[in-house]
Amino acid sequence: MTDNHKQRMQKLKDKVDERIESATEERGLLIVITGNGKGKSTSGFGTVARAVGHGLNAAVVQFIKGTWACGERQLLENAGVKFEVMGTGFTWNTQDKEKDTIAAQKSWSKTKDLLQDKSIDVVLLDELTYMVAYKYIELADVLSALKNRPINQHVIITGRGCHRELIELADTVSEVQSVKHAFDNGVKAQKGIDW
Ligand code: ATP
Ligand code: MG
């Protein structure tokens, strides 16, 4: 029994070692965190924190302004992370497409600067997927900016319903599935947990 286990583990280790050895390329990654479950933005911010902990330069663009300021902002700004937050014109509540488009395009224009800046190692584009879904910004423009970014720059895109072409372009894609959420049982959004 024990021997069997040992053998199995050794086999697994050999396989993993082989794969680690064959992964030699080093370059910036495009990561997409999508799906309906909770954990997309927190994953993106977690990665930013991880990068900053290693002394890398990071920037965050938030494409949807929530009702509350997110807790990560102050912490990460204090750590030197640049934040671009979409103007007050845009929240889920607005029904003014023209105003929203202007706000989205302003943030997208700042994003394009970041995607040309070699000094920025990691860029988090939080809730970008909706800007593409609602056609506030052009998919072709997004794809081209991502393809032409500095070779070593990592980009993380979060948001539900990510466009198929962004998923195809990405190196790593995770879909967060909702199994249950406290909100469904009447629990309101909790400070420090939900924002
Ligand atoms: P988080 O920021 O907590 O990682 P998220 O980025 O995955 O969440 P969003 O779709 O951006 O999720 O929604 C943000 C807010 O909605 C958060 O307060 C989150 O807790 C809440 N939320 C996320 N998923 C669900 C869900 N399946 N049902 C209800 N509320 C949700
Ligand atoms: Mg989110």
Side-chain angles (χ1 to χ4, degrees):
M1 192 70 181
T2 338
D3 272 3
N4 249 344
H5 176 75
K6 219 172 149 185
Q7 260 177 19
R8 262 208 328 263
M9 291 313 279
Q10 184 61 45
K11 240 185 176 167
L12 184 67
K13 186 179 178 304
D14 290 347
K15 254 193 196 155
V16 173
D17 284 350
E18 203 180 292
R19 289 182 66 186
I20 292 172
E21 223 166 281
S22 63
T24 52
E25 197 182 343
E26 198 155 342
R27 63 173 168 82
L29 298 174
L30 176 60
I31 298 167
V32 169
I33 313 285
T34 190
N36 294 331
K38 171 174 165 58
K40 299 175 292 294
S41 296
T42 43
S43 167
F45 282 115
T47 307
V48 168
R50 180 178 280 183
V52 170
H54 282 291
L56 300 184
N57 281 325
V60 175
V61 184
Q62 286 183 291
F63 282 93
I64 287 182
K65 190 182 178 321
T67 320
W68 309 285
C70 79
E72 290 94 341
R73 184 172 176 184
Q74 198 174 342
L75 182 77
L76 292 172
E77 273 184 340
N78 283 341
V81 176
K82 198 170 158 186
F83 266 70
E84 297 286 355
V85 182
M86 198 142 109
T88 46
F90 192 98
T91 70
W92 284 120
N93 306 326
T94 67
Q95 260 116 50
D96 187 340
K97 179 153 190 194
E98 208 172 305
K99 210 165 139 195
D100 290 348
T101 307
I102 291 169
Q105 286 184 356
K106 222 167 134 189
S107 291
W108 174 243
S109 151
K110 286 179 182 156
T111 303
K112 282 203 276 195
D113 293 341
L114 293 170
L115 294 177
Q116 289 178 1
D117 187 341
K118 274 193 191 148
S119 74
I120 307 207
D121 305 298
V122 178
V123 184
L124 169 59
L125 304 177
D126 191 34
E127 322 295 352
L128 174 87
T129 58
Y130 306 102
M131 305 301 107
V132 174
Y134 296 151
K135 300 193 163 53
Y136 291 155
I137 56 181
E138 264 186 63
L139 173 68
D141 201 15
V142 176
L143 291 170
S144 141
L146 289 169
K147 283 178 191 162
N148 292 308
R149 75 188 194 277
I151 182 105
N152 289 318
Q153 188 180 71
H154 303 291
V155 176
I156 307 151
I157 293 173
T158 76
R160 300 178 191 206
C162 187
H163 195 285
R164 182 180 47 81
E165 286 195 55
L166 282 170
I167 287 178
E168 274 166 21
L169 182 67
D171 300 285
T172 299
V173 179
S174 292
E175 189 168 346
V176 186
Q177 196 195 331
S178 184
V179 175
K180 56 164 99 166
H181 194 289
F183 185 69
D184 302 332
N185 283 320
V187 184
K188 66 193 258 196
Q190 300 291 304
K191 179 165 76 178
I193 300 296
D194 291 305
W195 84 91

